[in-house]
Amino acid sequence: MIDTAIDTKQSVRPAPAADDVPPAPRWIERAAKAAVWTTVPSGLWRIAFGLGVPVGASGEMAKFAGDQHPGWGAVYAVALSALAETLAFLTVGLVRPWGRITPRWLPLIGGRRVRPLAAIVPAALGSAILTYLSLASVCGGWANAMSSPDSPHGFAGLVMTVCYIPLIAWGPLVAVVTADYARRTLRRR
């Protein structure tokens, strides 16, 4: 009898109707997970730079890190990396149930259905912006940054490049996962 009382108190809000959205294909789930992992290497490099780890920067770039270490530069690097990882993690919501019904523990919106366009529009815009930034950096910005005398060169430049190259895939991966989410959620209308 005590168990029954506890159960009724916990279910304050009625559960939404049964979810009739088909599950995402396995390869789409893998694409969503890959989107999360694309931000990890650059985040780790950025945090190391922000904390003053010698990453091969010189001149103004090293001066910026030295001036900001261990203060606001480290806070900025950690915050930017956490923001990027959080945004990348939201891609997983497009293949999980919490992308269609918000978790109950969220204040105010917990347990409610997510309107498909409320997820599709920001994800599509984010994908477009990320893809544009990736193409811009590959086509021009990256070459200019690497030709700068302050940028890391040699092995340090190779490490930085290897850490930032996965970001090129972030936008297209989000686009593929978003397109599948739209296909699965909007088809029942």
PDB file of all heavy atoms in Angstrom, residues 73-113:
ATOM      1  N   GLY A  73      41.343  33.270 -19.873  1.00  0.00           N
ATOM      2  CA  GLY A  73      41.644  32.439 -21.050  1.00  0.00           C
ATOM      3  C   GLY A  73      41.265  30.994 -20.818  1.00  0.00           C
ATOM      4  O   GLY A  73      40.681  30.342 -21.687  1.00  0.00           O
ATOM      5  N   ALA A  74      41.569  30.492 -19.642  1.00  0.00           N
ATOM      6  CA  ALA A  74      41.212  29.111 -19.309  1.00  0.00           C
ATOM      7  C   ALA A  74      39.701  28.960 -19.187  1.00  0.00           C
ATOM      8  O   ALA A  74      39.122  27.983 -19.676  1.00  0.00           O
ATOM      9  CB  ALA A  74      41.891  28.686 -18.005  1.00  0.00           C
ATOM     10  N   VAL A  75      39.056  29.929 -18.560  1.00  0.00           N
ATOM     11  CA  VAL A  75      37.595  29.880 -18.425  1.00  0.00           C
ATOM     12  C   VAL A  75      36.944  29.908 -19.803  1.00  0.00           C
ATOM     13  O   VAL A  75      36.029  29.120 -20.095  1.00  0.00           O
ATOM     14  CB  VAL A  75      37.083  31.055 -17.557  1.00  0.00           C
ATOM     15  CG1 VAL A  75      35.570  31.131 -17.565  1.00  0.00           C
ATOM     16  CG2 VAL A  75      37.615  30.931 -16.136  1.00  0.00           C
ATOM     17  N   TYR A  76      37.430  30.782 -20.677  1.00  0.00           N
ATOM     18  CA  TYR A  76      36.891  30.883 -22.027  1.00  0.00           C
ATOM     19  C   TYR A  76      37.080  29.570 -22.787  1.00  0.00           C
ATOM     20  O   TYR A  76      36.151  29.081 -23.448  1.00  0.00           O
ATOM     21  CB  TYR A  76      37.572  32.037 -22.769  1.00  0.00           C
ATOM     22  CG  TYR A  76      37.259  32.094 -24.234  1.00  0.00           C
ATOM     23  CD1 TYR A  76      36.025  32.570 -24.673  1.00  0.00           C
ATOM     24  CD2 TYR A  76      38.180  31.668 -25.184  1.00  0.00           C
ATOM     25  CE1 TYR A  76      35.717  32.622 -26.024  1.00  0.00           C
ATOM     26  CE2 TYR A  76      37.878  31.717 -26.530  1.00  0.00           C
ATOM     27  CZ  TYR A  76      36.661  32.190 -26.950  1.00  0.00           C
ATOM     28  OH  TYR A  76      36.364  32.229 -28.284  1.00  0.00           O
ATOM     29  N   ALA A  77      38.271  28.997 -22.707  1.00  0.00           N
ATOM     30  CA  ALA A  77      38.549  27.754 -23.439  1.00  0.00           C
ATOM     31  C   ALA A  77      37.668  26.609 -22.952  1.00  0.00           C
ATOM     32  O   ALA A  77      37.113  25.860 -23.757  1.00  0.00           O
ATOM     33  CB  ALA A  77      40.029  27.385 -23.282  1.00  0.00           C
ATOM     34  N   VAL A  78      37.517  26.485 -21.647  1.00  0.00           N
ATOM     35  CA  VAL A  78      36.680  25.421 -21.091  1.00  0.00           C
ATOM     36  C   VAL A  78      35.214  25.663 -21.433  1.00  0.00           C
ATOM     37  O   VAL A  78      34.494  24.745 -21.840  1.00  0.00           O
ATOM     38  CB  VAL A  78      36.883  25.290 -19.565  1.00  0.00           C
ATOM     39  CG1 VAL A  78      35.874  24.347 -18.949  1.00  0.00           C
ATOM     40  CG2 VAL A  78      38.309  24.818 -19.263  1.00  0.00           C
ATOM     41  N   ALA A  79      34.752  26.900 -21.310  1.00  0.00           N
ATOM     42  CA  ALA A  79      33.353  27.214 -21.600  1.00  0.00           C
ATOM     43  C   ALA A  79      33.031  26.990 -23.078  1.00  0.00           C
ATOM     44  O   ALA A  79      31.984  26.409 -23.408  1.00  0.00           O
ATOM     45  CB  ALA A  79      33.035  28.655 -21.203  1.00  0.00           C
ATOM     46  N   LEU A  80      33.907  27.420 -23.967  1.00  0.00           N
ATOM     47  CA  LEU A  80      33.679  27.222 -25.398  1.00  0.00           C
ATOM     48  C   LEU A  80      33.662  25.738 -25.747  1.00  0.00           C
ATOM     49  O   LEU A  80      32.815  25.275 -26.522  1.00  0.00           O
ATOM     50  CB  LEU A  80      34.742  27.960 -26.221  1.00  0.00           C
ATOM     51  CG  LEU A  80      34.585  27.894 -27.736  1.00  0.00           C
ATOM     52  CD1 LEU A  80      33.250  28.494 -28.174  1.00  0.00           C
ATOM     53  CD2 LEU A  80      35.743  28.622 -28.403  1.00  0.00           C
ATOM     54  N   SER A  81      34.572  24.982 -25.168  1.00  0.00           N
ATOM     55  CA  SER A  81      34.622  23.539 -25.417  1.00  0.00           C
ATOM     56  C   SER A  81      33.378  22.852 -24.862  1.00  0.00           C
ATOM     57  O   SER A  81      32.807  21.967 -25.517  1.00  0.00           O
ATOM     58  CB  SER A  81      35.885  22.934 -24.799  1.00  0.00           C
ATOM     59  OG  SER A  81      37.026  23.507 -25.401  1.00  0.00           O
ATOM     60  N   ALA A  82      32.938  23.240 -23.681  1.00  0.00           N
ATOM     61  CA  ALA A  82      31.724  22.651 -23.088  1.00  0.00           C
ATOM     62  C   ALA A  82      30.494  23.002 -23.920  1.00  0.00           C
ATOM     63  O   ALA A  82      29.615  22.153 -24.132  1.00  0.00           O
ATOM     64  CB  ALA A  82      31.559  23.123 -21.648  1.00  0.00           C
ATOM     65  N   LEU A  83      30.418  24.237 -24.404  1.00  0.00           N
ATOM     66  CA  LEU A  83      29.291  24.641 -25.243  1.00  0.00           C
ATOM     67  C   LEU A  83      29.256  23.825 -26.535  1.00  0.00           C
ATOM     68  O   LEU A  83      28.196  23.317 -26.930  1.00  0.00           O
ATOM     69  CB  LEU A  83      29.367  26.136 -25.565  1.00  0.00           C
ATOM     70  CG  LEU A  83      28.295  26.651 -26.524  1.00  0.00           C
ATOM     71  CD1 LEU A  83      26.903  26.551 -25.898  1.00  0.00           C
ATOM     72  CD2 LEU A  83      28.609  28.082 -26.929  1.00  0.00           C
ATOM     73  N   ALA A  84      30.397  23.681 -27.183  1.00  0.00           N
ATOM     74  CA  ALA A  84      30.456  22.912 -28.430  1.00  0.00           C
ATOM     75  C   ALA A  84      30.051  21.457 -28.180  1.00  0.00           C
ATOM     76  O   ALA A  84      29.282  20.878 -28.955  1.00  0.00           O
ATOM     77  CB  ALA A  84      31.862  22.979 -29.029  1.00  0.00           C
ATOM     78  N   GLU A  85      30.533  20.887 -27.108  1.00  0.00           N
ATOM     79  CA  GLU A  85      30.206  19.486 -26.806  1.00  0.00           C
ATOM     80  C   GLU A  85      28.725  19.335 -26.468  1.00  0.00           C
ATOM     81  O   GLU A  85      28.083  18.366 -26.872  1.00  0.00           O
ATOM     82  CB  GLU A  85      31.080  18.975 -25.657  1.00  0.00           C
ATOM     83  CG  GLU A  85      31.104  17.481 -25.533  1.00  0.00           C
ATOM     84  CD  GLU A  85      31.653  16.782 -26.770  1.00  0.00           C
ATOM     85  OE1 GLU A  85      32.610  17.270 -27.376  1.00  0.00           O
ATOM     86  OE2 GLU A  85      31.090  15.719 -27.123  1.00  0.00           O
ATOM     87  N   THR A  86      28.165  20.290 -25.750  1.00  0.00           N
ATOM     88  CA  THR A  86      26.734  20.244 -25.417  1.00  0.00           C
ATOM     89  C   THR A  86      25.886  20.340 -26.679  1.00  0.00           C
ATOM     90  O   THR A  86      24.926  19.579 -26.850  1.00  0.00           O
ATOM     91  CB  THR A  86      26.373  21.385 -24.447  1.00  0.00           C
ATOM     92  OG1 THR A  86      27.150  21.233 -23.261  1.00  0.00           O
ATOM     93  CG2 THR A  86      24.902  21.367 -24.092  1.00  0.00           C
ATOM     94  N   LEU A  87      26.222  21.267 -27.560  1.00  0.00           N
ATOM     95  CA  LEU A  87      25.480  21.403 -28.804  1.00  0.00           C
ATOM     96  C   LEU A  87      25.607  20.141 -29.662  1.00  0.00           C
ATOM     97  O   LEU A  87      24.628  19.699 -30.273  1.00  0.00           O
ATOM     98  CB  LEU A  87      25.950  22.633 -29.584  1.00  0.00           C
ATOM     99  CG  LEU A  87      25.612  23.981 -28.940  1.00  0.00           C
ATOM    100  CD1 LEU A  87      26.266  25.119 -29.714  1.00  0.00           C
ATOM    101  CD2 LEU A  87      24.111  24.182 -28.837  1.00  0.00           C
ATOM    102  N   ALA A  88      26.792  19.564 -29.692  1.00  0.00           N
ATOM    103  CA  ALA A  88      26.980  18.321 -30.451  1.00  0.00           C
ATOM    104  C   ALA A  88      26.163  17.189 -29.828  1.00  0.00           C
ATOM    105  O   ALA A  88      25.575  16.372 -30.536  1.00  0.00           O
ATOM    106  CB  ALA A  88      28.460  17.951 -30.494  1.00  0.00           C
ATOM    107  N   PHE A  89      26.090  17.155 -28.502  1.00  0.00           N
ATOM    108  CA  PHE A  89      25.339  16.098 -27.823  1.00  0.00           C
ATOM    109  C   PHE A  89      23.842  16.179 -28.118  1.00  0.00           C
ATOM    110  O   PHE A  89      23.148  15.164 -28.113  1.00  0.00           O
ATOM    111  CB  PHE A  89      25.591  16.147 -26.308  1.00  0.00           C
ATOM    112  CG  PHE A  89      24.916  15.031 -25.572  1.00  0.00           C
ATOM    113  CD1 PHE A  89      25.381  13.734 -25.681  1.00  0.00           C
ATOM    114  CD2 PHE A  89      23.806  15.271 -24.794  1.00  0.00           C
ATOM    115  CE1 PHE A  89      24.750  12.688 -25.022  1.00  0.00           C
ATOM    116  CE2 PHE A  89      23.166  14.245 -24.123  1.00  0.00           C
ATOM    117  CZ  PHE A  89      23.641  12.947 -24.233  1.00  0.00           C
ATOM    118  N   LEU A  90      23.335  17.360 -28.386  1.00  0.00           N
ATOM    119  CA  LEU A  90      21.920  17.506 -28.723  1.00  0.00           C
ATOM    120  C   LEU A  90      21.557  16.728 -29.986  1.00  0.00           C
ATOM    121  O   LEU A  90      20.397  16.368 -30.185  1.00  0.00           O
ATOM    122  CB  LEU A  90      21.549  18.979 -28.879  1.00  0.00           C
ATOM    123  CG  LEU A  90      21.514  19.782 -27.580  1.00  0.00           C
ATOM    124  CD1 LEU A  90      21.253  21.244 -27.876  1.00  0.00           C
ATOM    125  CD2 LEU A  90      20.486  19.227 -26.614  1.00  0.00           C
ATOM    126  N   THR A  91      22.541  16.450 -30.833  1.00  0.00           N
ATOM    127  CA  THR A  91      22.296  15.642 -32.025  1.00  0.00           C
ATOM    128  C   THR A  91      21.790  14.258 -31.646  1.00  0.00           C
ATOM    129  O   THR A  91      20.966  13.679 -32.345  1.00  0.00           O
ATOM    130  CB  THR A  91      23.586  15.526 -32.862  1.00  0.00           C
ATOM    131  OG1 THR A  91      24.121  16.824 -33.077  1.00  0.00           O
ATOM    132  CG2 THR A  91      23.337  14.859 -34.196  1.00  0.00           C
ATOM    133  N   VAL A  92      22.265  13.734 -30.534  1.00  0.00           N
ATOM    134  CA  VAL A  92      21.836  12.408 -30.070  1.00  0.00           C
ATOM    135  C   VAL A  92      20.332  12.418 -29.768  1.00  0.00           C
ATOM    136  O   VAL A  92      19.649  11.413 -29.942  1.00  0.00           O
ATOM    137  CB  VAL A  92      22.659  11.955 -28.842  1.00  0.00           C
ATOM    138  CG1 VAL A  92      22.164  10.639 -28.283  1.00  0.00           C
ATOM    139  CG2 VAL A  92      24.125  11.836 -29.222  1.00  0.00           C
ATOM    140  N   GLY A  93      19.807  13.549 -29.341  1.00  0.00           N
ATOM    141  CA  GLY A  93      18.384  13.651 -29.068  1.00  0.00           C
ATOM    142  C   GLY A  93      17.522  13.405 -30.293  1.00  0.00           C
ATOM    143  O   GLY A  93      16.363  13.017 -30.180  1.00  0.00           O
ATOM    144  N   LEU A  94      18.095  13.585 -31.473  1.00  0.00           N
ATOM    145  CA  LEU A  94      17.340  13.351 -32.702  1.00  0.00           C
ATOM    146  C   LEU A  94      17.151  11.868 -32.992  1.00  0.00           C
ATOM    147  O   LEU A  94      16.349  11.505 -33.857  1.00  0.00           O
ATOM    148  CB  LEU A  94      18.026  14.045 -33.883  1.00  0.00           C
ATOM    149  CG  LEU A  94      18.149  15.566 -33.769  1.00  0.00           C
ATOM    150  CD1 LEU A  94      18.958  16.125 -34.931  1.00  0.00           C
ATOM    151  CD2 LEU A  94      16.791  16.228 -33.689  1.00  0.00           C
ATOM    152  N   VAL A  95      17.874  11.006 -32.289  1.00  0.00           N
ATOM    153  CA  VAL A  95      17.722   9.554 -32.481  1.00  0.00           C
ATOM    154  C   VAL A  95      17.258   8.846 -31.216  1.00  0.00           C
ATOM    155  O   VAL A  95      17.109   7.633 -31.204  1.00  0.00           O
ATOM    156  CB  VAL A  95      19.037   8.908 -32.990  1.00  0.00           C
ATOM    157  CG1 VAL A  95      19.433   9.477 -34.332  1.00  0.00           C
ATOM    158  CG2 VAL A  95      20.161   9.051 -31.983  1.00  0.00           C
ATOM    159  N   ARG A  96      17.041   9.583 -30.162  1.00  0.00           N
ATOM    160  CA  ARG A  96      16.608   9.008 -28.888  1.00  0.00           C
ATOM    161  C   ARG A  96      15.195   9.469 -28.544  1.00  0.00           C
ATOM    162  O   ARG A  96      14.731  10.498 -29.039  1.00  0.00           O
ATOM    163  CB  ARG A  96      17.552   9.447 -27.756  1.00  0.00           C
ATOM    164  CG  ARG A  96      18.944   8.941 -27.899  1.00  0.00           C
ATOM    165  CD  ARG A  96      19.005   7.504 -27.416  1.00  0.00           C
ATOM    166  NE  ARG A  96      20.346   7.013 -27.464  1.00  0.00           N
ATOM    167  CZ  ARG A  96      20.771   6.093 -28.325  1.00  0.00           C
ATOM    168  NH1 ARG A  96      19.939   5.584 -29.179  1.00  0.00           N
ATOM    169  NH2 ARG A  96      22.014   5.693 -28.323  1.00  0.00           N
ATOM    170  N   PRO A  97      14.527   8.733 -27.659  1.00  0.00           N
ATOM    171  CA  PRO A  97      13.173   9.140 -27.257  1.00  0.00           C
ATOM    172  C   PRO A  97      13.106  10.537 -26.650  1.00  0.00           C
ATOM    173  O   PRO A  97      12.118  11.244 -26.828  1.00  0.00           O
ATOM    174  CB  PRO A  97      12.775   8.074 -26.238  1.00  0.00           C
ATOM    175  CG  PRO A  97      13.584   6.881 -26.597  1.00  0.00           C
ATOM    176  CD  PRO A  97      14.887   7.418 -27.123  1.00  0.00           C
ATOM    177  N   TRP A  98      14.159  10.991 -25.950  1.00  0.00           N
ATOM    178  CA  TRP A  98      14.104  12.323 -25.345  1.00  0.00           C
ATOM    179  C   TRP A  98      14.154  13.432 -26.393  1.00  0.00           C
ATOM    180  O   TRP A  98      13.961  14.592 -26.062  1.00  0.00           O
ATOM    181  CB  TRP A  98      15.165  12.511 -24.262  1.00  0.00           C
ATOM    182  CG  TRP A  98      16.594  12.268 -24.641  1.00  0.00           C
ATOM    183  CD1 TRP A  98      17.287  11.099 -24.510  1.00  0.00           C
ATOM    184  CD2 TRP A  98      17.532  13.226 -25.160  1.00  0.00           C
ATOM    185  NE1 TRP A  98      18.576  11.264 -24.943  1.00  0.00           N
ATOM    186  CE2 TRP A  98      18.757  12.560 -25.335  1.00  0.00           C
ATOM    187  CE3 TRP A  98      17.438  14.564 -25.489  1.00  0.00           C
ATOM    188  CZ2 TRP A  98      19.886  13.195 -25.827  1.00  0.00           C
ATOM    189  CZ3 TRP A  98      18.567  15.202 -25.981  1.00  0.00           C
ATOM    190  CH2 TRP A  98      19.776  14.512 -26.147  1.00  0.00           C
ATOM    191  N   GLY A  99      14.326  13.089 -27.651  1.00  0.00           N
ATOM    192  CA  GLY A  99      14.212  14.063 -28.719  1.00  0.00           C
ATOM    193  C   GLY A  99      12.775  14.228 -29.202  1.00  0.00           C
ATOM    194  O   GLY A  99      12.476  15.111 -29.988  1.00  0.00           O
ATOM    195  N   ARG A 100      11.891  13.347 -28.707  1.00  0.00           N
ATOM    196  CA  ARG A 100      10.473  13.425 -29.063  1.00  0.00           C
ATOM    197  C   ARG A 100       9.597  13.727 -27.854  1.00  0.00           C
ATOM    198  O   ARG A 100       8.546  14.331 -27.993  1.00  0.00           O
ATOM    199  CB  ARG A 100      10.037  12.117 -29.716  1.00  0.00           C
ATOM    200  CG  ARG A 100      10.722  11.884 -31.055  1.00  0.00           C
ATOM    201  CD  ARG A 100      10.252  10.642 -31.743  1.00  0.00           C
ATOM    202  NE  ARG A 100      10.365   9.428 -30.972  1.00  0.00           N
ATOM    203  CZ  ARG A 100      11.449   8.658 -30.893  1.00  0.00           C
ATOM    204  NH1 ARG A 100      12.538   9.006 -31.527  1.00  0.00           N
ATOM    205  NH2 ARG A 100      11.451   7.557 -30.186  1.00  0.00           N
ATOM    206  N   ILE A 101      10.016  13.286 -26.680  1.00  0.00           N
ATOM    207  CA  ILE A 101       9.314  13.576 -25.425  1.00  0.00           C
ATOM    208  C   ILE A 101      10.370  13.996 -24.414  1.00  0.00           C
ATOM    209  O   ILE A 101      11.298  13.245 -24.132  1.00  0.00           O
ATOM    210  CB  ILE A 101       8.542  12.342 -24.911  1.00  0.00           C
ATOM    211  CG1 ILE A 101       7.494  11.915 -25.937  1.00  0.00           C
ATOM    212  CG2 ILE A 101       7.896  12.653 -23.573  1.00  0.00           C
ATOM    213  CD1 ILE A 101       6.809  10.613 -25.628  1.00  0.00           C
ATOM    214  N   THR A 102      10.251  15.205 -23.886  1.00  0.00           N
ATOM    215  CA  THR A 102      11.281  15.713 -22.974  1.00  0.00           C
ATOM    216  C   THR A 102      11.324  14.891 -21.699  1.00  0.00           C
ATOM    217  O   THR A 102      10.287  14.412 -21.226  1.00  0.00           O
ATOM    218  CB  THR A 102      11.029  17.189 -22.613  1.00  0.00           C
ATOM    219  OG1 THR A 102       9.743  17.304 -22.027  1.00  0.00           O
ATOM    220  CG2 THR A 102      11.127  18.080 -23.830  1.00  0.00           C
ATOM    221  N   PRO A 103      12.514  14.700 -21.129  1.00  0.00           N
ATOM    222  CA  PRO A 103      12.629  13.944 -19.880  1.00  0.00           C
ATOM    223  C   PRO A 103      11.805  14.599 -18.766  1.00  0.00           C
ATOM    224  O   PRO A 103      11.723  15.826 -18.668  1.00  0.00           O
ATOM    225  CB  PRO A 103      14.123  14.014 -19.555  1.00  0.00           C
ATOM    226  CG  PRO A 103      14.782  14.314 -20.860  1.00  0.00           C
ATOM    227  CD  PRO A 103      13.797  15.130 -21.639  1.00  0.00           C
ATOM    228  N   ARG A 104      11.212  13.781 -17.927  1.00  0.00           N
ATOM    229  CA  ARG A 104      10.329  14.272 -16.854  1.00  0.00           C
ATOM    230  C   ARG A 104      11.054  15.174 -15.853  1.00  0.00           C
ATOM    231  O   ARG A 104      10.437  16.021 -15.238  1.00  0.00           O
ATOM    232  CB  ARG A 104       9.697  13.097 -16.115  1.00  0.00           C
ATOM    233  CG  ARG A 104       8.709  12.375 -16.977  1.00  0.00           C
ATOM    234  CD  ARG A 104       7.884  11.440 -16.105  1.00  0.00           C
ATOM    235  NE  ARG A 104       6.815  10.852 -16.862  1.00  0.00           N
ATOM    236  CZ  ARG A 104       5.664  11.452 -17.113  1.00  0.00           C
ATOM    237  NH1 ARG A 104       5.440  12.647 -16.669  1.00  0.00           N
ATOM    238  NH2 ARG A 104       4.741  10.855 -17.826  1.00  0.00           N
ATOM    239  N   TRP A 105      12.346  15.004 -15.682  1.00  0.00           N
ATOM    240  CA  TRP A 105      13.059  15.763 -14.661  1.00  0.00           C
ATOM    241  C   TRP A 105      13.302  17.222 -15.070  1.00  0.00           C
ATOM    242  O   TRP A 105      13.703  18.035 -14.246  1.00  0.00           O
ATOM    243  CB  TRP A 105      14.376  15.089 -14.295  1.00  0.00           C
ATOM    244  CG  TRP A 105      15.282  14.826 -15.457  1.00  0.00           C
ATOM    245  CD1 TRP A 105      15.366  13.670 -16.185  1.00  0.00           C
ATOM    246  CD2 TRP A 105      16.242  15.727 -16.024  1.00  0.00           C
ATOM    247  NE1 TRP A 105      16.307  13.802 -17.179  1.00  0.00           N
ATOM    248  CE2 TRP A 105      16.867  15.053 -17.095  1.00  0.00           C
ATOM    249  CE3 TRP A 105      16.632  17.023 -15.740  1.00  0.00           C
ATOM    250  CZ2 TRP A 105      17.851  15.637 -17.875  1.00  0.00           C
ATOM    251  CZ3 TRP A 105      17.617  17.601 -16.512  1.00  0.00           C
ATOM    252  CH2 TRP A 105      18.218  16.904 -17.560  1.00  0.00           C
ATOM    253  N   LEU A 106      13.048  17.582 -16.334  1.00  0.00           N
ATOM    254  CA  LEU A 106      13.233  18.970 -16.754  1.00  0.00           C
ATOM    255  C   LEU A 106      12.115  19.842 -16.191  1.00  0.00           C
ATOM    256  O   LEU A 106      10.936  19.520 -16.355  1.00  0.00           O
ATOM    257  CB  LEU A 106      13.239  19.075 -18.280  1.00  0.00           C
ATOM    258  CG  LEU A 106      14.482  18.570 -18.979  1.00  0.00           C
ATOM    259  CD1 LEU A 106      14.271  18.575 -20.482  1.00  0.00           C
ATOM    260  CD2 LEU A 106      15.682  19.405 -18.610  1.00  0.00           C
ATOM    261  N   PRO A 107      12.456  20.942 -15.534  1.00  0.00           N
ATOM    262  CA  PRO A 107      11.414  21.814 -14.992  1.00  0.00           C
ATOM    263  C   PRO A 107      10.578  22.441 -16.109  1.00  0.00           C
ATOM    264  O   PRO A 107      11.084  22.778 -17.165  1.00  0.00           O
ATOM    265  CB  PRO A 107      12.193  22.888 -14.228  1.00  0.00           C
ATOM    266  CG  PRO A 107      13.625  22.577 -14.357  1.00  0.00           C
ATOM    267  CD  PRO A 107      13.786  21.401 -15.246  1.00  0.00           C
ATOM    268  N   LEU A 108       9.321  22.587 -15.870  1.00  0.00           N
ATOM    269  CA  LEU A 108       8.341  23.228 -16.735  1.00  0.00           C
ATOM    270  C   LEU A 108       7.982  22.449 -18.004  1.00  0.00           C
ATOM    271  O   LEU A 108       6.833  22.418 -18.398  1.00  0.00           O
ATOM    272  CB  LEU A 108       8.755  24.655 -17.118  1.00  0.00           C
ATOM    273  CG  LEU A 108       9.005  25.611 -15.952  1.00  0.00           C
ATOM    274  CD1 LEU A 108       9.535  26.937 -16.471  1.00  0.00           C
ATOM    275  CD2 LEU A 108       7.737  25.830 -15.152  1.00  0.00           C
ATOM    276  N   ILE A 109       8.955  21.859 -18.671  1.00  0.00           N
ATOM    277  CA  ILE A 109       8.665  21.189 -19.941  1.00  0.00           C
ATOM    278  C   ILE A 109       8.777  19.673 -19.861  1.00  0.00           C
ATOM    279  O   ILE A 109       8.521  18.986 -20.850  1.00  0.00           O
ATOM    280  CB  ILE A 109       9.576  21.718 -21.062  1.00  0.00           C
ATOM    281  CG1 ILE A 109      11.039  21.421 -20.760  1.00  0.00           C
ATOM    282  CG2 ILE A 109       9.342  23.186 -21.318  1.00  0.00           C
ATOM    283  CD1 ILE A 109      11.967  21.658 -21.927  1.00  0.00           C
ATOM    284  N   GLY A 110       9.177  19.139 -18.717  1.00  0.00           N
ATOM    285  CA  GLY A 110       9.388  17.698 -18.578  1.00  0.00           C
ATOM    286  C   GLY A 110       8.139  16.889 -18.886  1.00  0.00           C
ATOM    287  O   GLY A 110       7.047  17.212 -18.436  1.00  0.00           O
ATOM    288  N   GLY A 111       8.312  15.831 -19.675  1.00  0.00           N
ATOM    289  CA  GLY A 111       7.223  14.934 -20.000  1.00  0.00           C
ATOM    290  C   GLY A 111       6.351  15.380 -21.157  1.00  0.00           C
ATOM    291  O   GLY A 111       5.390  14.703 -21.510  1.00  0.00           O
ATOM    292  N   ARG A 112       6.682  16.478 -21.769  1.00  0.00           N
ATOM    293  CA  ARG A 112       5.870  16.984 -22.886  1.00  0.00           C
ATOM    294  C   ARG A 112       6.465  16.558 -24.219  1.00  0.00           C
ATOM    295  O   ARG A 112       7.665  16.372 -24.348  1.00  0.00           O
ATOM    296  CB  ARG A 112       5.774  18.503 -22.845  1.00  0.00           C
ATOM    297  CG  ARG A 112       5.011  18.975 -21.643  1.00  0.00           C
ATOM    298  CD  ARG A 112       4.789  20.440 -21.697  1.00  0.00           C
ATOM    299  NE  ARG A 112       4.073  20.874 -20.505  1.00  0.00           N
ATOM    300  CZ  ARG A 112       3.880  22.110 -20.191  1.00  0.00           C
ATOM    301  NH1 ARG A 112       4.342  23.069 -20.946  1.00  0.00           N
ATOM    302  NH2 ARG A 112       3.219  22.420 -19.089  1.00  0.00           N
ATOM    303  N   ARG A 113       5.585  16.471 -25.198  1.00  0.00           N
ATOM    304  CA  ARG A 113       6.003  16.128 -26.544  1.00  0.00           C
ATOM    305  C   ARG A 113       6.792  17.283 -27.165  1.00  0.00           C
ATOM    306  O   ARG A 113       6.445  18.439 -27.006  1.00  0.00           O
ATOM    307  CB  ARG A 113       4.763  15.869 -27.379  1.00  0.00           C
ATOM    308  CG  ARG A 113       4.907  14.696 -28.268  1.00  0.00           C
ATOM    309  CD  ARG A 113       3.610  14.424 -28.987  1.00  0.00           C
ATOM    310  NE  ARG A 113       3.044  13.163 -28.615  1.00  0.00           N
ATOM    311  CZ  ARG A 113       3.567  11.997 -28.946  1.00  0.00           C
ATOM    312  NH1 ARG A 113       4.673  11.944 -29.623  1.00  0.00           N
ATOM    313  NH2 ARG A 113       2.993  10.878 -28.593  1.00  0.00           N
TER     314      ARG A 113
END
